[in-house]
Structures are given as C-alpha cells and as structure tokens.
Amino acid sequence: MSRASVAFASLAFIGLSSCAPPVEQCEARVSSEAKQISRLIADVQANISRGYAWENEISDGGGFSFCAGSYGGDYDGWGWGGVGLGYSTCYGGSDVVRTRVPIDPAAEIRKRDALQKRLDTLSAQGAAACAAKYGEPG
C-alpha cells in the first residue's frame, strides 16, 4: 500500500471517527494503537530472525548527467514540436538506499517483550478502560 493511500485512509478514518461517540473514538484509538504495536512486533521479530535490521536512508542523487533528448518545448519553427534532438542535462532525484544495520539481539528481545506486554494490556483492558471512562456505547 502506498504512503498516499495510507495517508488518505487515515484521514478518512479520522474524519469519520470524529462523528462517533467518545467511547467509540476511544475504542478506535485503542484498536489503531494495537495494530501499530503488532506491526512493530513483527518488525522486531524479523530483525531478531535475520540478525540485523534494515535502515532506509535518502540519498541526494546529486549532480547531473547528460541524457538523450533535448528541451521538449512548443513549436520549434521546424514543425517538429521540440522532438528530442541532441542532449540535455538531467538532474538526479532522491533515492532510498537500504543498508543493513547490526543489532543487539538481547536489546531487540527486550523491545519485543515490552511491546508484547503493551499489546496484551491493550487487548485485555483497552475496551474496558474506554467504557469505564466514557460509559457504554449507546
């Protein structure tokens, strides 16, 4: 799922949930947090299994290079409409570079266990805490 899709879905969820009663908004926040924690647990477990983590770094891609084609502007007087002739400069965009990062397995296990404890607490008490704070959904 692309980041734009996730952002749109999140905004739609927030917009729709703002119309819900407070207890349902609370339950939606608890559910969202539980899903996020579950994703984090899966990431940490994958790091433990692999023995390393992945780190994404944005590379500038700086500088320029020569690219085939030319300025593709409007009518060029020859009737070709700026069809690519010769060379032009191209500027590099940003690239995401993925690198391996060493992990401390013991620290990752502690992190996983803490996340699992938080998830268990949310699962056991989240809805009940919302009901106690805001009353039963009506």
Side-chain angles (χ1 to χ4, degrees):
M1 187 180 266
S2 71
R3 288 184 182 184
S5 298
V6 171
F8 179 74
S10 297
L11 288 174
F13 175 74
I14 290 169
L16 292 175
S17 67
S18 64
C19 299
V23 67
E24 290 178 13
Q25 291 178 20
C26 178
E27 289 169 350
R29 284 191 301 269
V30 168
S31 175
S32 177
E33 184 177 355
K35 288 177 187 175
Q36 180 65 29
I37 291 173
S38 294
R39 283 191 290 268
L40 291 172
I41 290 171
D43 288 345
V44 171
Q45 186 59 47
N47 291 346
I48 293 168
S49 297
R50 278 191 309 266
Y52 58 87
W54 287 109
E55 183 177 283
N56 292 331
E57 190 174 309
I58 297 187
S59 170
D60 180 354
F64 68 93
S65 60
F66 289 100
C67 299
S70 68
Y71 173 72
D74 294 331
Y75 181 73
D76 63 358
W78 291 92
W80 296 344
V83 173
L85 299 172
Y87 291 93
S88 66
T89 55
C90 298
Y91 293 93
S94 297
D95 292 324
V96 176
V97 178
R98 195 171 184 199
T99 57
R100 292 180 182 185
V101 178
I103 62 166
D104 176 7
E108 291 292 307
I109 290 170
R110 286 191 303 272
K111 186 188 310 182
R112 182 200 58 203
D113 293 345
L115 287 167
Q116 187 62 53
K117 183 177 177 182
R118 175 68 179 145
L119 181 63
D120 294 343
T121 301
L122 275 175
S123 298
Q125 301 171 358
C130 290
K133 184 173 182 179
Y134 296 106
E136 291 296 318

